[in-house]
Amino acid sequence: SRPARPVPFLNSPTMTDKKILLLALLFLAGCASDPMEESGGKEAPAAAMRKIVNAPANAARGELLIYFDGDAVGDVEQTAAAAAITRTAVTRSGIAPVDDIFTQLGVTSLRRVFPCNPVAEERTRAAGLHKWYIVTFGEEVDLDAAARRLAAVSEVSFVQFNTKLQLASDNRACPYRGGSAATRAAAGGFNDPGYKDQWHYSNNGDRIFAETTRAGADINVEEAWKLAAGDPSLTVAIVDQGIKYSHPDLAANMWINKAEQSGATGRDDDGNGYADDVYGYNFALGTSRLTWDVEAYDDKGKNIGDSGHGTHVAGTVAAVSNNGVGVSGIAGGTGRNDGVKLMSCQIFSGGKGGTISTSVRAIKYAADNGAVVLQCSWGYVSGLANSYEWGDQGFKTQEEWEQACPLEKEALEYFIHNAGSPNGPIEGGLAIFAGGNENAPMAGFPGAADYCISVSATAADYTPAVYSNYGPGITIAAPGGDQDYYYEYFDDDHKRGEIGCVLSTLPYNVSESGYGYMEGTSMACPHVSGVAALGLSYAAKLRRHFTADEFKALLYETTTPIDDRMKGSKLYYRYAYEMGLTHPTHLLLSDYAGNRMGAGQVNAARLLDAIGQNGRQMTFPNLYIPLEGEVTAIPANYFLGGETLSYTVKIDDESVASASMDGSRLTVRGLKSGVTKASITASNNETQTFNITVRKSASGDGWL
């Protein structure tokens, strides 16, 4: 399975009357200035061309992404607010020269790339993301000419073509037939029957599928499971194809938006900009309906529809462990509803071509709805990929990618800076990407950016998977399977190369058993995401806190060294579905030396051991409360073994705020403006102090 690449939606979510009014008020309140008396200065041709940040090749027809000037966006927002109140489509900006062009283009809609979410609006505006709009018009319009005309208007700061992003392969899966006959239990006695064939978790050197297997060439997760197996307070966003959320090995670990649990009402009950998003959202089709079984065919009759990729990736991260069903997940818990949660951020569906706008919406949605890990098994083709085999090469430098894809850069930075909490196990988010499958000496972007984690793939003997990218941009390795390497091995009448790949969950339309094998940096990537989630679960258990950068440093420092294994050569047989096995090929391992596969192979046990010795102890946070408003907190999250303790709260000045405990939940209510000290004491006599600040107007979630 080659790492896939993004996908868009384009339908606006349904809004209630209350939401429409709130949206209008937010737009009006957010105006950067009074309406401009004069506007529409024209840019010189050379200056205008510099504002077009990428090329029209492979771009979606009939749409452009526009970044408005900071002053001009106020006019756009006022126009949108007026249209929202009257329930009319927004087709104009309120800026005369822009609207002249819109009229000539026959514009059918103008809307923010990121829908209004009142809870996150303040930080959305601080990041400048509210200035990005998508404009749509007829597909017959000359896209390049439209971009040049809009770029010539001074109120437009950037124009970006909405580049299509396609899957890099057909992502075919090999159904699971029961695998090896041997039985093996995971640490803690996990009873998942398929665990015996998940060599990528715990490799005992079993040579059933390859003479080259090496004991220990895995992620060393069994020792880690003795310390932690997951934590339901943590969420991993699977930015991919849709997750089959009803799968018996995934259902219990799905993230659920409780405000939308009533079902398909067509209302945005929680006001986050997306209606009926119970398990996540399908950004590819612009609907809450997640898909995993859509068939689609190209003009040659080849099936390019859903492959189960998102469901497979999700299972590696957090299939429910110890439930007597299927396989184990890295952070899937112990069968007691204690695994990390999986949020389905679907960015492609049924072979639909994706666009930049789809992936960035998914990324921001993940940050705004509580995910701390972004699992992204997709990316652009490497800038050093073989152009004969892969066509147009991708970006060669981070500067080149950032200049051509500013919207992607800004969305990723938003996630990295805004996910997590200063009062949880991690402050900031972890963006984890597949490194790419072109066997190129450089990772693909966005993962190659220095603020992301980019994963290369290894086989069951620590050697580089024959398809894996390596070199600049790659930061860490993980098992990804290597079908070509193992395809010479047979079991009765079946080719057994697939069992050298990664075993995980699949939709039943892909595999009757609901499980199967896939390979790729796409499959290596969720191993790192799962280990990161497992490490954060242990940090939550120990009440330890890390910044995202601190946690990334530990992830790299605790890897299994593999650089000394990059000697000699690796023999494999290329396999093509149309031709079968082809001529033998040698991979020169010295090409991968010098840590070109990353810092080493991810090691769960070492990471968890380091977490116990690093970070800062979490303490009960200071509270910031609106007058006559309230905030809630779970005191147990800030005391070791806190779930077994009871708590009492003392507020020094009870005229400022009041506090009450209801089971495990503490509620503090603001009574009058002011500041007071407070303390919380657990039944083990440990006391923590904090401040309460009450103000007439307070935004955010109440935490300081």
Side-chain angles (χ1 to χ4, degrees), residues 79 91-104 110:
T79 303
T91 61
R92 298 295 180 266
S93 67
I95 303 167
V98 173
D99 290 343
D100 288 343
I101 297 171
F102 280 5
T103 299
Q104 295 166 24
L110 175 70

Side-chain angles (χ1 to χ4, degrees), residues 620 635-636 639 645-651 661 666 678-690:
F620 196 86
F639 292 81
L645 304 174
S646 58
Y647 303 90
T648 57
V649 179
K650 180 180 181 301
I651 297 177
M661 290 291 304
L666 168 66
S679 62
I680 184 167
T681 301
S683 53
N684 64 357
N685 295 321
E686 180 184 350
T687 297
Q688 296 183 22
T689 60
F690 60 99

